[in-house]
Each structure stands twice: as structure tokens, then as C-alpha cells.
Amino acid sequence: MPPPRCAGARSYTAIGQWSATAPQRALARLGARVVGVLGVRVAPSAATIRRVIGLVCPGGLAGLTGADPGGAKSLAVDGKTAHGCRHGRTPAAHLLAAMTGDGRTVTQLRVPDKTNEITCFTALLAPYDLTGVTVTADALHTQRGHARFLVEEKKAHYLLAVKANQPGLHRQLRSLPWSEVTARRYDRERGHGRKETRVTRALTVTGLGLDFPHAVQAVRVLRHRTDLKTGRCSRQTVYAITDLTSHQASPQRLGQLARSQWTIENRLHFVRDTTFCEDHSRIRTGHGPENMATLRNLTINTLRQHGHRNIAASLRHASYDPVNRPLDLLNIP
């Protein structure tokens, strides 16, 4: 029952309380079962809600409620651990998600225990038509098999970060003649108590013997940050690799793609942690952790589709009329 998520409910108990106090009109809109000759609608109990959410197929729910990536310019892939569901020797659920560049979550899946995100990358993206979409991911997914899967099977593009987990490739990128590169882009931002300058350089690497499938351009992003309160300065250099040609992606576009990968942290993971207190949730059994995370994704998608930029403020707005506003947002007649 997703509407209470739009009203700010964070637990089975809270959703059950919303259900128990919902008027007949709201229960009818939700399709609650009818009892007796008078046609009285009966709300599901908190126990029923807990049982259903714990048993529903996570992949099916994520696919049903997620956004369609078709036509999206970019798709960021990143994982997050729901720390609150750790219990005894049972590890916390680690969830791998995909989000479009405009902030819509497409899908997610739970990474099986005793493995990592790498094994789930293709399973996450396989059901979707990604023709022409540029998929971005952090250095963990800078895998040759991932690159071949995206370009050869999905007809997509990639921009993958390169760090020390790929020492040979990282060393090759660092040794390129970056000081001589004329294709560059400067971006300056001020906000959140800091000032940041990013310099993006791009270099065509075909014919240079770079050992990575379909690699066409290498990217270096140099980030300078100044804390406006303390005056402290920091500098970070990020390397990436892409199959996009210089005609398909300028340094400006490559900088935007790199930025879209960073924003999945701010627009999805950070929101679920701070606004929905995901890391404090004690939902642990069955498929509860991943399905509740999917309902949080649905809420964020729904609010953004209606033009809400501040998720916390929009949840407060919905909570002032917790019966009608959530159902209206979800277009439930």
C-alpha cells in the first residue's frame, strides 16, 4: 500500500495506522475488500501489510513502480547499504539502483549476500531498452565485461570512473599528456557552504593501445573546493573512460555525465537516508528491506513527476491531508 509513503509513514505500524483510519472513500479508491451486504470496505491490518510487503517479489515490484529509461540521456548505477536491517549474523541489505539523469529511479535489486555489485550489474539493466543511453558507474563497475554488455548487447554508451582497482588502466590514464590537451571545460559553482571549480579535459585515445573494450575518449576532471567558512581548500582528480567520440560528447557533456553519477548520491541515497530515515529502519525479514526501499523510490519519483524539488517539504504538504493528497499524487481514481 504505497499511499502512506507519500504521507510520510516509515514503518509497517505507521502504514497500518493510516490504513485503520482511512475513510470508506479512500479504501474504495485503493480497492480494499468488501464485506457484508452493506458493502463495507475493510482495511488491511498492519500484520497483513507486513506479510504482503515481506513476500512480494522485489524484482516485480521494482519493475512495476520504476520509471522507463527509454529516451533518457543518461542512467547512473550505484549501490547503497540499508544499515538498519542488519541483525545478528545477517548482513544488512545492499541495494543496487539505476537512476536517470533527471532524478527518476528506474529499478533496483538486492545484491546477494557474500557477493558484490559487480555480479548484479547486467541483471539490473538487462530488462530495459537502453539504446543510445549513456550509462555511468563508479570504479567498481569499470569492468571489461560490463563495457561489452552495454555497447554490444544493449547498444548503449558508457562513462566509467577509473581508480586504483584497475591499476594498469589507471596508470595509463595518468600518463597521458593532459597538460597539452586543448579540449577542456571550466565549471564553477557556489553553494552548500563551499565554492567549487571543475576543469574537465577530454582526449581521444584510439590508437594509443588502451586496454579497454570500445574505449574512444579518456576524461580527467580536476575538482577544486574551498570551504567558505574555514577557507580550507581541497583538490581531487577523477579519471574516466568512455566509448563516446568527441563528436558525440564534448568536454562539457562529459563533465555533465560525470556530475550525473555523483548526483545519484544526493538525489536518491541521501534523500532516503535523511528524509525517510532508511538507515534507522528495523525492517529485516523477508523481502521487506528491499520492497520498502522500492516504495521510497516510488514516492520520490511521484513527487518529482509533480514538480516537487524538496522531498521533505512535499511530504509535509501531503501529510496535511494524508487521505486525499497521496492518492491524488498517485493518480488513483
Side-chain angles (χ1 to χ4, degrees), residues 81-118:
T81 300
H83 296 284
C85 65
R86 180 182 288 108
H87 182 62
R89 295 184 178 180
T90 303
H94 189 78
L95 307 172
L96 185 64
M99 188 184 76
T100 61
D102 58 359
R104 296 174 295 125
T105 302
V106 174
T107 187
Q108 75 172 13
L109 57 79
R110 182 170 180 170
V111 177
D113 299 339
K114 299 181 181 180
T115 184
N116 59 36
E117 295 179 17
I118 296 174

Side-chain angles (χ1 to χ4, degrees), residues 65-326:
T65 59
D68 182 2
K73 294 182 179 180
S74 64
L75 188 70
V77 176
D78 197 23
K80 177 189 179 298
T81 300
H83 296 284
C85 65
R86 180 182 288 108
H87 182 62
R89 295 184 178 180
T90 303
H94 189 78
L95 307 172
L96 185 64
M99 188 184 76
T100 61
D102 58 359
R104 296 174 295 125
T105 302
V106 174
T107 187
Q108 75 172 13
L109 57 79
R110 182 170 180 170
V111 177
D113 299 339
K114 299 181 181 180
T115 184
N116 59 36
E117 295 179 17
I118 296 174
T119 62
C120 299
F121 184 87
T122 56
L124 182 78
L125 301 179
Y128 300 98
D129 180 5
L130 300 179
T131 304
V133 178
T134 300
V135 177
T136 66
D138 60 22
L140 180 66
H141 295 290
T142 306
Q143 306 290 330
R144 289 160 177 77
H146 291 0
R148 294 189 184 96
F149 165 74
L150 291 172
V151 175
E152 298 171 12
E153 295 186 34
K154 304 305 292 182
K155 310 304 178 186
H157 301 288
Y158 67 79
L159 180 87
L160 302 173
V162 179
K163 293 183 180 179
N165 65 318
Q166 293 276 5
L169 183 60
H170 187 254
R171 186 167 50 252
Q172 284 182 291
L173 294 186
R174 289 184 61 187
S175 65
L176 292 174
W178 294 109
S179 60
E180 303 173 16
V181 174
T182 57
R184 64 184 68 180
R185 166 76 179 186
Y186 291 86
D187 292 287
R188 295 177 175 86
E189 289 184 359
R190 188 185 185 99
H192 303 287
R194 66 173 180 258
K195 180 173 62 176
E196 180 174 294
T197 300
R198 295 186 302 278
V199 184
T200 304
R201 289 179 169 88
L203 178 64
T204 299
V205 294
T206 50
L208 298 183
L210 210 63
D211 183 21
F212 201 81
H214 306 289
V216 175
Q217 287 194 91
V219 185
R220 188 181 80 166
V221 181
L222 184 60
R223 303 166 69 187
H224 296 270
R225 285 183 176 179
T226 302
D227 189 303
L228 297 178
K229 184 177 181 180
T230 64
R232 182 178 180 182
C233 298
S234 62
R235 172 175 169 168
Q236 180 185 26
T237 302
V238 178
Y239 295 96
I241 198 164
T242 181
D243 71 308
L244 293 164
T245 68
S246 58
H247 296 291
Q248 293 173 310
S250 65
Q252 178 182 5
R253 177 57 182 156
L254 293 171
Q256 292 171 345
L257 288 169
R259 189 72 171 166
S260 70
Q261 175 61 30
W262 299 331
T263 56
I264 190 173
E265 287 285 343
N266 297 327
R267 304 200 70 186
L268 181 64
H269 299 161
F270 181 77
V271 173
R272 285 189 357 210
D273 275 345
T274 58
T275 303
F276 293 98
C277 299
E278 182 170 87
D279 277 353
H280 296 285
S281 173
R282 292 295 183 264
I283 294 174
R284 299 163 174 158
T285 57
H287 299 305
E290 54 264 51
N291 283 337
M292 288 295 282
T294 294
L295 294 182
R296 296 180 191 109
N297 295 340
L298 170 63
T299 300
I300 295 169
N301 281 0
T302 301
L303 293 172
R304 288 202 175 121
Q305 287 168 5
H306 285 80
H308 296 279
R309 300 183 64 183
N310 187 315
I311 301 300
S314 56
L315 285 177
R316 288 194 297 271
H317 176 76
S319 69
Y320 300 147
D321 184 0
V323 172
N324 297 307
R325 287 180 182 173

